[in-house]
Amino acid sequence: MSEIQGLPPPDTAPEKAIPLPISTPPSNPIPSLNTLQSWLPLYLSKTDATISHLSRVLSTPSGTDTFLLTICYTSLLSSSLLSSLSLHRIRAAVQRIISQAIALPPNTTVIIDTSSLPPSRLLIASRRLKALSDLISDFRIFVRLWGLLSIYKWGKRVYNSPPADTLVRRIVYTQVASNIAFQYLENGAYLASKGVLGWGKEKQSRAWIWSSRFWMLHVGLDFVRLWREAGLRTSKGKSNPGSDEEIKWTAKWRREMVVNAAWAPLTLHWSLEEGFASDFWVGVLGSVAGLAGFRELWRTTGQI
């Protein structure tokens, strides 16, 4: 019992409860014209900064290639997803028509006029994205026609300043040789496919396959190189966890490992006559490699 006497008992009946004020969202969530006008300078500033940033990315051949690589494989991935979604919808529609036809009386003639049906928008978008991916891929191969010049420059730099470790040095020398073979065979196959060289279809096919095999050799050797460099860094006591240098080195090492892990199954796929990966997986793995490189490129070109 309460020690305070003479107070009336509390009234807990629902009808006696005092309603609490409930905040309601504004009836008009759309910003006013004055608000939009006040936001305009900020949006223009951000748009200008983004365009300037993208211009810096595309100002170098490597930046352009990384950007196009990303667009190429993300377009292929989007095309594959849209195609699958479109076919799923078509399959569902066909099953619905079949179930309705089965429910009709026996000996009923069913006529389906497909000539008047509009084409699937998803399928149209899928075909256009696939065409964009093919166009970019063709352009990137064309630009690589003079890639032997950059490989020569790379090989000259490695010869003049070779890696100190014997295994890493041999790996890099082998990679230079494999890239020369890759570039020569790809150039020949591409030019022959355009009618510039007189290679037959069979020789073109072999050149495409063997160029991919030399690329696969480069990727495989890169795994060994990364493993060796990590071991050397640990054994020589260069690792200093928490330092800026160690953080940057680790981030670079992991990025290269991710890129190689994405390219490895693709180079194996292109090294086989029949292949084994669908457009979906080619798009997924290529997008991983492209986005990893483009993300780093965007970061390093962030400052004017």
Side-chain angles (χ1 to χ4, degrees):
M1 181 182 294
S2 172
E3 296 180 356
I4 304 177
Q5 303 295 331
L7 294 179
D11 193 343
T12 58
E15 60 272 10
K16 300 295 184 177
I18 301 176
L20 297 176
I22 300 177
S23 59
T24 57
S27 58
N28 185 19
I30 301 176
S32 64
L33 181 60
N34 292 334
T35 303
L36 293 175
Q37 289 178 345
S38 65
W39 291 350
L40 184 60
L42 177 61
Y43 283 128
L44 291 177
S45 176
K46 288 184 175 295
T47 302
D48 176 71
T50 302
I51 293 175
S52 300
H53 195 163
L54 183 60
S55 176
R56 291 193 297 275
V57 169
L58 301 178
S59 62
T60 60
S62 61
T64 301
D65 184 69
T66 302
F67 175 75
L68 291 178
L69 183 151
T70 306
I71 298 299
C72 175
Y73 287 104
T74 53
S75 297
L76 181 61
L77 176 59
S78 301
S79 171
S80 177
L81 292 174
L82 290 177
S83 178
S84 298
L85 182 59
S86 176
L87 292 177
H88 175 75
R89 290 186 175 182
I90 292 174
R91 191 180 298 111
V94 170
Q95 291 176 349
R96 185 169 60 253
I97 292 174
I98 292 174
S99 62
Q100 293 175 352
I102 293 176
L104 294 173
N107 300 325
T108 302
T109 302
V110 178
I111 300 176
I112 302 175
D113 184 13
T114 60
S115 60
S116 59
L117 295 177
S120 171
R121 294 182 179 180
L122 293 178
L123 201 57
I124 292 175
S126 172
R127 291 172 180 173
R128 290 177 178 176
L129 287 171
K130 181 63 165 58
L132 175 62
S133 177
D134 292 341
L135 177 63
I136 294 176
S137 178
D138 189 275
F139 175 77
R140 292 183 65 238
I141 296 175
F142 173 78
V143 172
R144 284 201 301 267
L145 285 174
W146 45 90
L148 285 171
L149 298 177
S150 59
I151 296 175
Y152 167 79
K153 185 178 179 181
W154 173 35
K156 182 180 178 181
R157 184 176 67 252
V158 171
Y159 179 79
N160 291 331
S161 302
D165 182 70
T166 303
L167 179 58
V168 175
R169 182 166 62 251
R170 290 176 179 176
I171 289 173
V172 176
Y173 285 163
T174 307
Q175 285 182 316
V176 172
S178 68
N179 274 269
I180 291 174
F182 155 76
Q183 197 62 70
Y184 168 76
L185 291 171
E186 185 188 69
N187 287 0
Y190 180 76
L191 292 175
S193 68
K194 302 300 181 182
V196 178
L197 298 181
W199 295 4
K201 294 293 184 180
E202 184 177 353
K203 187 174 182 179
Q204 290 179 39
S205 178
R206 288 201 308 270
W208 285 119
I209 290 175
W210 275 100
S211 67
S212 298
R213 289 174 180 174
F214 281 112
W215 184 12
M216 182 175 60
L217 174 61
H218 169 87
V219 173
L221 289 172
D222 236 21
F223 281 118
V224 182
R225 177 185 64 83
L226 290 169
W227 165 78
R228 179 64 173 174
E229 289 179 352
L232 289 172
R233 191 172 182 85
T234 302
S235 63
K236 292 182 179 180
K238 293 183 178 180
S239 178
N240 183 16
S243 64
D244 291 342
E245 179 185 358
E246 182 65 19
I247 292 174
K248 291 180 181 179
W249 187 90
T250 303
K252 180 177 180 295
W253 189 91
R254 289 177 177 174
R255 183 173 62 255
E256 291 183 4
M257 185 64 74
V258 168
V259 171
N260 283 312
W263 285 130
L266 290 181
T267 56
L268 178 60
H269 163 70
W270 290 320
S271 298
L272 303 175
E273 292 186 4
E274 299 298 330
F276 59 86
S278 63
D279 283 350
F280 171 79
W281 286 111
V282 173
V284 168
L285 295 170
S287 297
V288 170
L291 290 171
F294 185 76
R295 180 184 178 184
E296 175 63 14
L297 183 65
W298 188 267
R299 186 188 68 80
T300 55
T301 55
Q303 302 297 328
I304 298 177

